[in-house]
């Protein structure tokens, strides 16, 4: 089985396994106690903190370990917002942040009546530093920006945004969960979070760095451990293993980044050649070296993932048809790209070239089989249409059916004619304009309709 989903969770690194087993015998005691077993435990904890701080690029007394990366985000945001409540209750985030950031921002709005501004991204998934700086206000208490996107791999201009925030006196929290294994985050950030299971450490360990001078008020009941920022007894063996794996992957990062980037470049180039009607999304250059995402027209994302699993490939997806909410990924929605048939590939360290070659060999037949079962058209629309306009009723039908129905009848209207698609599927708002862009046709727009939305497309060729 080829595991291509380390952006979700990486396999336990061999160094982490060794460190975990070795520290189980020494790190079980309470590090706050003065007897021998406690002193052994605190030595392990202090050594791990120093090594983690070195990897992050901060002082050891600025870094605490948390029960998860999500907890680190929630604790970091709530503490920074509370610490600066006299400044204001305004927060700034990008539209493509991880759900942990967006959920914490929504909780802040609900609890305090504060306002959260979402900075939009371009079609490659990146914010503009100027647009981000323009969202800052006199009452901005906190800004948040990921170092690299978890779904499409696009790197954000974190250093430029950090400088803009610094010049305005606004602390910037950087979610570095996806990038920390590849290297430190450059720039004058104020807070930083990470998650060990993203880089091959054990799950249940996160880290939160808060620079000296940042106003920070930990929320919740007081606790004497981890500077009051992460209550509860520290899982020292897991922490030691997490830091050991971070150091190990960093040692491999330079060479593996070059090798994996070449494999990802091959996927980015070959998939559109092998599979028709595919959109590769994310920045082709400013991106994580191991991650690539593409979307396939006329494909049910859930069916595609199941078929790839049967072919012994573990991949992820942001398609609405793989989600219990039946809404497309907020990242793909913010980028305005095709969401149906979405596949995210994130290669682990050491991925053999043969696995990538086999994936490229298998993918065309898998996509073709899914399309055939859904009754997708084989080719672009014809040219003999005579009806000036048509209406397609796709109400109650989920992605990718509305786009498939559009494609089936598009050749029945002449150049200049229109097709109106009635749909109550949220994904249609992304996928129909994306179909138009891929086909060189005009997306006229949308209007309310009974029980749904009417999407209008005009034929240009």
């Amino acid at each position: 089985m080829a595991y291509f989903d380390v952006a979700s969770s990486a396999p336990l690194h061999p160094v982490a396994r060794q460190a975990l087993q070795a520290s189980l015998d020494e790190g079980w005691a309470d590090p706050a106690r003065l007897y021998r077993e406690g002193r052994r435990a605190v030595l392990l904890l202090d050594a791990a903190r120093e090594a983690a701080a070195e990897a992050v690029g901060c002082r050891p007394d600025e870094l605490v370990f948390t029960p998860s990366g999500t907890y680190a985000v929630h604790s970091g945001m709530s503490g920074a917002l509370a610490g600066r409540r006299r400044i204001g209750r305004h927060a700034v985030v990008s539209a493509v942040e991880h759900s942990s950031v967006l959920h914490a921002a929504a909780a802040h709005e609900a609890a305090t009546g504060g306002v959260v501004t979402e900075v939009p991204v371009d079609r490659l998934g990146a914010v503009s530093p100027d647009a981000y700086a323009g969202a800052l206000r006199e009452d901005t208490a906190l800004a948040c920006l990921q170092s690299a996107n978890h779904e499409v791999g696009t790197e954000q201009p974190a250093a430029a945004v950090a400088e803009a925030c610094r010049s305005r006196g606004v602390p910037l929290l950087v979610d570095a969960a996806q990038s920390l294994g590849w290297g430190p985050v450059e720039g004058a950030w104020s807070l930083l979070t990470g998650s060990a299971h993203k880089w091959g450490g054990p799950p249940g360990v996160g880290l939160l760095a808060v620079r000296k001078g940042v106003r920070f008020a930990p929320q919740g009941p007081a606790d004497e451990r981890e500077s009051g920022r992460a209550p509860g007894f520290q899982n020292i063996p897991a922490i030691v293993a997490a830091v050991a794996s971070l150091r190990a992957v960093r040692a491999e990062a330079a060479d593996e980044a070059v090798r994996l980037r070449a494999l990802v470049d091959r996927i980015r180039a070959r998939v559109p050649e092998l599979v028709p009607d595919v959109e590769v999304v994310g920045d082709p250059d400013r991106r994580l070296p191991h991650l690539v995402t593409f979307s396939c027209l006329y494909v049910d994302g859930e069916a595609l993932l199941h078929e790839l699993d049967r072919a012994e490939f573990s991949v992820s997806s942001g398609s609405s048809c793989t989600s219990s909410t039946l809404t497309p990924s907020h990242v793909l929605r913010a980028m305005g790209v095709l969401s149906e048939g979405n596949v995210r590939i994130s290669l682990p360290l050491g991925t053999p070239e043969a696995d990538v070659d086999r994936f490229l060999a298998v993918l065309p037949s898998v996509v073709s089989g899914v399309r055939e079962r859904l009754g997708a058209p084989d080719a672009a629309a014809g040219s003999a249409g005579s009806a000036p306009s048509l209406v397609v009723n796709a109400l109650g039908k989920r992605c990718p059916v509305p786009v498939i129905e559009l494609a089936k009848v598009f050749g029945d209207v002449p150049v200049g004619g229109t097709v109106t698609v009635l749909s109550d599927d949220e994904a249609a708002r992304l996928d129909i304009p994306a179909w138009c862009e891929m086909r060189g046709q005009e997306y006229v727009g949308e209007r309310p309709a009974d029980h749904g939305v009417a999407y209008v497309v005009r034929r240009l060729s």
Side-chain angles (χ1 to χ4, degrees), residues 52-75:
E54 180 182 6
V56 168
C58 66
R59 292 167 36 162
D61 60 352
E62 293 175 329
L63 185 142
V64 299
F65 296 105
T66 66
S68 68
T70 295
Y71 188 96
V73 167
H74 291 175
S75 176

Side-chain angles (χ1 to χ4, degrees), residues 173-360:
L173 182 149
V174 175
D175 171 17
Q178 289 296 336
S179 72
L180 203 54
W182 297 104
V185 176
E186 303 297 330
W189 51 265
S190 300
L191 304 95
L192 183 141
T193 62
S195 186
H197 74 101
K198 301 291 188 182
W199 64 67
V205 179
L207 58 83
L208 167 64
V210 182
R211 298 280 198 197
K212 293 296 182 183
V214 176
R215 294 179 182 177
F216 194 90
Q219 299 301 286
D223 192 275
E224 70 277 8
R225 300 180 189 273
E226 296 299 305
S227 304
R229 295 172 185 172
F233 196 92
Q234 299 99 325
N235 186 345
I236 294 177
I239 288 171
V240 170
V243 176
S245 62
L246 179 57
R247 289 167 62 92
V249 298
R250 282 284 187 86
E252 304 171 69
D255 291 340
E256 276 296 277
V258 172
R259 197 180 69 84
L260 293 181
R261 186 176 291 274
L263 293 179
V264 166
D265 284 342
R266 185 185 306 174
I267 296 172
R268 292 182 66 92
R270 291 292 289 150
V271 166
E273 295 173 352
L274 296 169
V275 182
D277 298 317
V278 165
E279 181 178 17
V280 181
V281 301
D283 196 300
D285 302 310
R286 291 182 53 83
R287 58 174 173 80
L288 293 171
H290 68 304
L291 196 154
V292 56
T293 299
F294 57 87
S295 300
C296 308
L297 270 178
Y298 316 135
V299 169
D300 179 331
E302 185 173 5
L304 181 56
L305 263 59
H306 281 315
E307 290 303 314
L308 287 172
D309 182 62
R310 292 178 62 182
E312 299 190 337
F313 290 100
S314 301
V315 300
S316 185
S317 174
S319 291
S320 62
C321 28
T322 64
S323 166
S324 60
T325 64
L326 295 178
T327 58
S329 148
H330 70 279
V331 172
L332 301 178
R333 184 169 63 243
M335 293 169 63
V337 297
L338 182 68
S339 73
E340 67 186 48
N342 180 260
V343 174
R344 180 186 69 182
I345 296 170
S346 46
L347 304 177
L349 300 178
T351 297
E353 288 187 43
D355 283 355
V356 172
D357 290 339
R358 189 169 68 86
F359 176 80
L360 293 172

Side-chain angles (χ1 to χ4, degrees), residues 11-21 199-201 241 244-245 248-249 252 349:
L12 192 65
H13 194 283
V15 169
R17 187 182 302 277
Q18 294 169 3
L20 182 63
Q21 292 174 336
W199 64 67
S245 62
V249 298
E252 304 171 69
L349 300 178

Side-chain angles (χ1 to χ4, degrees), residues 80-106:
L81 288 165
R84 287 172 51 83
R85 58 184 175 273
R86 292 184 180 179
I87 302 296
R89 292 177 292 182
H90 179 242
V92 179
V93 302
S94 85
V96 293
E97 294 300 312
H98 188 269
S99 59
S100 61
V101 172
L102 299 182
H103 290 163

Side-chain angles (χ1 to χ4, degrees), residues 396-422:
K397 299 176 181 179
R398 301 302 176 188
C399 77
V401 174
V403 176
I404 290 176
E405 296 301 317
L406 165 65
K408 284 180 176 178
V409 304
F410 200 67
D412 296 337
V413 299
V415 172
T418 61
V419 175
T420 299
V421 182
L422 305 178

